[in-house]
Amino acid sequence: MKRAIVLLSGGLDSTTCLSVALAKGYEVYPISFDYGQRHKKELDCVRQIVKYYDIKNHKLIHIDNVGGSALTDSNINVPDYEGTSNIPVTYVPARNIIFLSYAVGYAEVVDADAIFIGVNAIDYSGYPDCRPEFIEAFERMIKVGTKRGVEGKPIKIETPLLKLSKAEIIKLAYENKAPLHLTTSCYRGGDKACGVCDSCVLRLKGFKEAGIEDPIEYSIDVEEKFRTL
């Protein structure tokens, strides 16, 4: 059976990505990261998702927190949704470079042909490491910087969500019966999603446009929020 590494954060996108890899018939090797993020609830979600799918090959990597982001530095507040095109303070320096580097190494160890990552270039928060240019550059690096690459068997980075809207991602997740009720998207990491940070608002807008009720709990009145989206 063909094998794939799946970057699994516990969020909506990465869980949908996992469901796509499974639907394509891959034996999956999910990999998650504890990088000092304030929203550690997502790691609890990861454990539940892995249990839901009865996956035995999950790996959790611990990385020192280098700070520099509202997601990793408690002195920087997570802002409410602003809808600007500027790179926000929730950007984590080089996060996907680091995550994909670990994933490439793990792929060589388990002889995986692909790495699935839930990056999205449409409904995203302006992060430079979610763009197609970044993925293309990283694939070129894999070809020249790994044993598989120089031997003509480069590892493919699969980005099934790259050009989908959030509503389309949600519909795909439901088609694949992905457990979105076990996911979280909130940057603030409370017991209930805040409903006002960038990630929460993009998620809520996606569910509204998809015509589907979001199965997770929020600390705000979601129906009231829908009227402002």
Side-chain angles (χ1 to χ4, degrees):
M1 180 183 288
K2 56 186 180 179
R3 296 176 176 176
I5 310 301
V6 180
L7 294 178
L8 183 63
S9 70
L12 186 157
D13 291 349
S14 69
T15 303
T16 303
C17 218
L18 173 62
S19 76
V20 171
L22 289 168
K24 289 180 176 291
Y26 281 95
E27 178 184 0
V28 296
Y29 288 73
I31 184 170
S32 307
F33 297 87
D34 181 346
Y35 57 98
Q37 63 269 48
R38 70 197 306 158
H39 50 307
K40 283 190 183 295
K41 181 179 178 180
E42 67 177 12
L43 297 178
D44 294 329
C45 291
V46 163
R47 296 180 185 96
Q48 294 180 63
I49 293 161
V50 167
K51 183 178 180 180
Y52 175 89
Y53 282 114
D54 194 27
I55 295 170
K56 309 300 183 185
N57 303 311
H58 177 241
K59 184 180 288 293
L60 176 63
I61 305 294
H62 296 270
I63 302 174
D64 285 343
N65 177 5
V66 297
S69 167
L71 301 189
T72 57
D73 187 340
S74 60
N75 293 316
I76 305 174
N77 292 327
V78 173
D80 291 352
Y81 176 75
E82 297 175 345
T84 68
S85 59
N86 297 326
I87 298 174
V89 295
T90 51
Y91 163 71
V92 179
R95 179 170 58 180
N96 281 344
I97 295 174
I98 295 167
F99 289 2
L100 281 171
S101 296
Y102 271 94
V104 169
Y106 192 29
E108 286 211 290
V109 170
V110 302
D111 198 26
D113 299 307
I115 296 168
F116 280 75
I117 182 171
V119 293
N120 181 266
I122 299 177
D123 285 341
Y124 77 118
S125 296
Y127 301 141
D129 53 0
C130 289
R131 298 171 302 148
E133 300 95 316
F134 167 73
I135 298 299
E136 291 163 6
F138 208 95
E139 282 194 318
R140 291 195 298 271
M141 183 275 294
I142 292 173
K143 288 181 181 179
V144 300
T146 64
K147 181 175 183 291
R148 282 184 59 119
V150 298
E151 289 181 350
K153 299 183 295 180
I155 299 157
K156 173 69 175 174
I157 300 180
E158 296 284 355
T159 57
L161 314 185
L162 186 66
K163 297 180 180 180
L164 300 183
S165 69
K166 191 66 73 177
E168 289 171 329
I169 292 170
I170 290 165
K171 290 177 180 178
L172 176 59
Y174 271 80
E175 287 173 12
N176 290 344
K177 297 181 171 56
L180 296 190
H181 63 289
L182 299 179
T183 66
T184 185
S185 299
C186 185
Y187 285 155
R188 293 191 167 108
D191 290 336
K192 295 181 180 181
C194 73
V196 295
C197 69
D198 273 9
S199 189
C200 278
V201 171
L202 290 175
R203 176 179 176 130
L204 284 170
K205 287 176 65 177
F207 272 97
K208 181 182 180 181
E209 291 167 8
I212 298 172
E213 183 179 351
D214 192 341
I216 70 169
E217 290 188 292
Y218 286 84
S219 60
I220 62 166
D221 184 332
V222 171
E223 291 303 319
E224 179 65 28
K225 186 67 179 179
F226 274 172
R227 285 192 279 271
T228 68
L229 296 178

